[in-house]
Amino acid sequence: MKLNLEQIPREKTLTKKDFLKKYFKPQKPVVIERFIEDWPAYSKWNLDYMKEIAGDKQVPLYDDRPVKHDEGFNEPHAQMKMSEYVDLLKSGPTKYRIFLWNVLKEVPQLQKDYTYPDFGLRLMKGLPMLFFGGEDSHTFMHYDIDLANIFHFHFEGKKQCILFSQDETKFLYKIPHSLITREDIDFAEPDLEKWPALSKAKGHITHLEHGNVLYIPEGYWHHMKYITPGFSMSLRAIARKPKNFSKAVYNIFVMRHFDNLMRRIKGQEWIDWKNEQAILRTQKLLVQD
């Protein structure tokens, strides 16, 4: 058995009016295939260019090791120069990824290569983030702390994206006081006998190639797997639904600080308890459903 995933609709291009009507208001994902061809980044941005323009920058690297109690929120697992990282990506499969790498802060001249598109939403112009990954590297299934509307612009390589709405959370083995699901679930090839609730979840899937833009509605869970080495840039707009906005405020100002406090107090026992609760709570909800 496989996950119950439908293909995300694809549009060659999309006007602001149609985007708001067909996708933003009903909060549905979409891939826009030809939207950024007038950006200099469309033709310039590839791994070689990033190596050339940012080769001396130290970049934070992350892999798929389980969360540990003594690691801070989004604390990197390693660091190296961008030039070394690009060489690593090209040498073969690697688990190391870069995420939340601020373009404006790290390499200001890159902002000349793109413009902020008018989707009818106010984009947060101080937070353009780059994401890199090697062949077969992947993120954990997660949603963003601010439950933002995300526009994910893909450049080099191929990437598989699996999405679930917040309505499907009860089937995903969510870790309490966290933004992720159980880390030992392989969403690319899940064991549905071990994780039976996943068979009830209804999600979305697509593959991104150079120039594609994926709209991820606010608060959507997402799992990204790099089929080949590559990178993307995300622009975001704050959550508009009152429920999601209040949840974002809680996550930022309460949840993450409480979780860090409990890690310091209880150590690995806290992590183990949360992992166990993810199973118990999902099983309980499954029986009630």
Side-chain angles (χ1 to χ4, degrees):
M1 293 180 63
K2 293 185 176 181
L3 292 173
N4 185 2
L5 304 174
E6 64 178 27
Q7 289 289 329
I8 295 174
R10 304 179 76 90
E11 304 267 7
K12 291 297 182 183
T13 187
L14 203 57
T15 64
K16 175 173 69 173
K17 180 180 178 181
D18 285 343
F19 167 73
L20 291 173
K21 179 181 178 180
K22 295 172 63 176
Y23 299 106
F24 173 69
K25 288 182 179 178
Q27 286 290 280
K28 295 181 178 180
V30 63
V31 174
I32 312 172
E33 295 182 337
R34 303 184 63 179
F35 192 81
I36 62 170
E37 292 179 3
D38 59 337
W39 286 9
Y42 179 79
S43 56
K44 290 170 62 176
W45 284 18
N46 54 40
L47 290 173
D48 289 334
Y49 182 67
M50 290 298 166
K51 179 179 179 179
E52 174 187 339
I53 200 168
D56 290 335
K57 295 288 185 180
Q58 287 287 128
V59 293
L61 302 177
Y62 302 81
D63 57 25
D64 57 1
R65 72 187 69 179
V67 171
K68 295 174 61 178
H69 74 278
D70 56 354
E71 292 179 345
F73 187 80
N74 284 347
E75 183 176 325
H77 300 134
Q79 291 190 8
M80 66 176 61
K81 288 185 177 182
M82 175 62 87
S83 59
E84 297 170 335
Y85 179 61
V86 171
D87 289 342
L88 178 65
L89 292 182
K90 291 189 170 188
S91 68
T94 176
K95 297 295 186 182
Y96 279 132
R97 296 174 291 106
I98 300 174
F99 82 111
L100 296 178
W101 199 59
N102 191 311
V103 176
L104 290 178
K105 178 181 176 183
E106 300 295 340
V107 191
Q109 60 264 46
L110 287 175
Q111 66 184 299
K112 299 176 182 178
D113 294 338
Y114 63 90
T115 56
Y116 290 90
D118 184 7
F119 287 110
L121 304 178
R122 181 177 295 178
L123 298 173
M124 292 184 273
K125 294 187 177 181
L127 293 174
M129 297 293 184
L130 287 178
F131 301 79
F132 293 73
E135 180 183 343
D136 284 338
S137 66
H138 65 86
T139 66
F140 296 125
M141 180 65 75
H142 69 287
Y143 63 93
D144 288 10
I145 194 168
D146 59 356
L147 284 84
N149 293 276
I150 302 169
F151 297 92
H152 199 63
F153 303 82
H154 192 62
F155 293 96
E156 186 159 338
K158 296 182 180 180
K159 178 189 285 188
Q160 175 183 273
C161 309
I162 297 174
L163 310 182
F164 291 98
S165 73
Q166 285 285 319
D167 292 340
E168 305 301 312
T169 299
K170 59 186 176 181
F171 303 125
L172 300 181
Y173 299 90
K174 178 187 182 298
I175 303 291
H177 309 292
S178 178
L179 308 171
I180 62 174
T181 63
R182 287 274 308 208
E183 298 154 305
D184 46 351
I185 298 176
D186 178 4
F187 276 88
E189 294 287 342
D191 182 344
L192 298 185
E193 291 188 3
K194 185 176 182 181
W195 312 108
L198 293 180
S199 63
K200 292 184 172 292
K202 296 180 180 180
H204 313 266
I205 188 170
T206 197
H207 289 79
L208 300 181
E209 297 186 353
H210 174 72
N212 291 172
V213 184
L214 170 63
Y215 167 61
I216 304 176
E218 53 191 63
Y220 263 51
W221 292 89
H222 43 283
H223 175 276
M224 307 293 197
K225 181 176 181 179
Y226 292 85
I227 308 302
T228 63
F231 66 98
S232 310
M233 180 178 74
S234 282
L235 301 177
R236 56 209 303 113
I238 63 171
R240 300 281 284 272
K241 290 186 175 181
K243 180 180 179 182
N244 288 338
F245 182 79
S246 62
K247 189 173 183 180
V249 171
Y250 171 79
N251 287 343
I252 294 169
F253 294 105
V254 179
M255 184 273 290
R256 68 173 174 176
H257 297 294
F258 173 73
D259 186 56
N260 284 335
L261 175 63
M262 293 303 292
R263 291 188 194 197
R264 290 195 296 270
I265 293 174
K266 293 206 167 196
Q268 189 60 37
E269 179 184 346
W270 173 246
I271 302 297
D272 294 341
W273 177 84
K274 291 200 302 176
N275 280 320
E276 181 181 7
Q277 286 297 309
I279 296 176
L280 296 176
R281 295 183 185 191
T282 300
Q283 289 175 337
K284 183 178 180 181
L285 290 172
L286 193 60
V287 170
Q288 295 173 351
D289 186 59

